[in-house]
Each structure stands twice: as C-alpha cells, then as structure tokens.
C-alpha cells in the first residue's frame, strides 16, 4: 500500500527517503513538487492565492537556516536528538 508521508529533518529529501527506505527494507520514492505543481494542488483544494502565500511565506523566510542543525533539543531535554534513522526505527508503524 502506498502512503504519502512528510519527513522533516536536517537532511535533503532524497537522503531522507534513502534512510526511511533502508529502515523499511524497501525503496521509498521521493517526489519534489515544483512551485507550479504545488500551486495547482492548493488551487484544487481551494487554498490558492493569498491563503497559500500566507502559508508558504514563513517557509521561504526560513530557507536560510532550514538545513542547519540546532542544539535546541539537547538544551531543552538534556539529551542529544535522535538521528533520523533512530527516529524512523522507533516509529516504523507510522510508515507502514
């Protein structure tokens, strides 16, 4: 059964797919949409125009620091954050 999942983390999307696929023991196909494809999908759902722009603007503004690793988790919890692979291993049920 094919499912769509959004994975976040300090790695590029294709590498995220490889990590999740390795944990599942199967290939994970990563699909990156163009801006036009995203716009068309949101238009179809009635979320185009200003609503979509308001949704996407914070993401655009965060692009400069999006791929940097933060020490926030360790500061807040006292423990180092999990690697993506460790997190996936602990949460395999989400993907299956």
């Amino acid at each position: 059964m094919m499912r769509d999942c959004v994975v976040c983390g300090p790695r590029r999307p294709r590498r995220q797919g490889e990590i999740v696929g390795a944990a599942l023991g199967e290939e994970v196909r990563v699909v990156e949409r163009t801006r036009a494809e995203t716009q068309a999908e949101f238009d179809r759902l009635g979320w185009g125009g200003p609503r979509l722009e308001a949704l996407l603007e914070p993401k655009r503004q965060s692009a400069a620091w999006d791929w940097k690793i933060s020490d926030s988790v360790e500061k807040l919890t006292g423990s180092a954050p999990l690697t993506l692979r460790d997190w996936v291993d602990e949460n395999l049920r989400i993907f299956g």
Side-chain angles (χ1 to χ4, degrees), residues 14 30-43 52-53 56 60:
R14 293 211 187 284
V30 175
V31 178
E32 295 184 66
R33 292 182 179 181
T34 65
R35 181 178 171 88
E37 290 168 331
T38 302
Q39 180 71 55
E41 179 67 12
F42 276 93
D43 286 345
L52 178 60
E53 288 304 314
L56 295 179
R60 276 194 284 275

Side-chain angles (χ1 to χ4, degrees), residues 58-92:
K59 181 64 176 162
R60 276 194 284 275
Q61 291 177 11
S62 72
W65 51 266
D66 232 10
W67 300 104
K68 295 179 183 169
I69 296 174
S70 167
D71 61 354
S72 298
V73 170
E74 192 162 2
K75 284 182 178 178
L76 292 169
T77 66
S79 300
L82 296 173
T83 65
L84 179 58
R85 176 59 194 253
D86 289 341
W87 183 87
V88 170
D89 286 343
E90 287 186 12
N91 294 279
L92 280 176

Side-chain angles (χ1 to χ4, degrees), residues 5-18:
C5 297
V6 177
V7 179
C8 303
R11 296 193 179 267
R12 301 289 181 196
R14 293 211 187 284
R15 181 67 184 129
Q16 291 174 352
E18 291 169 0

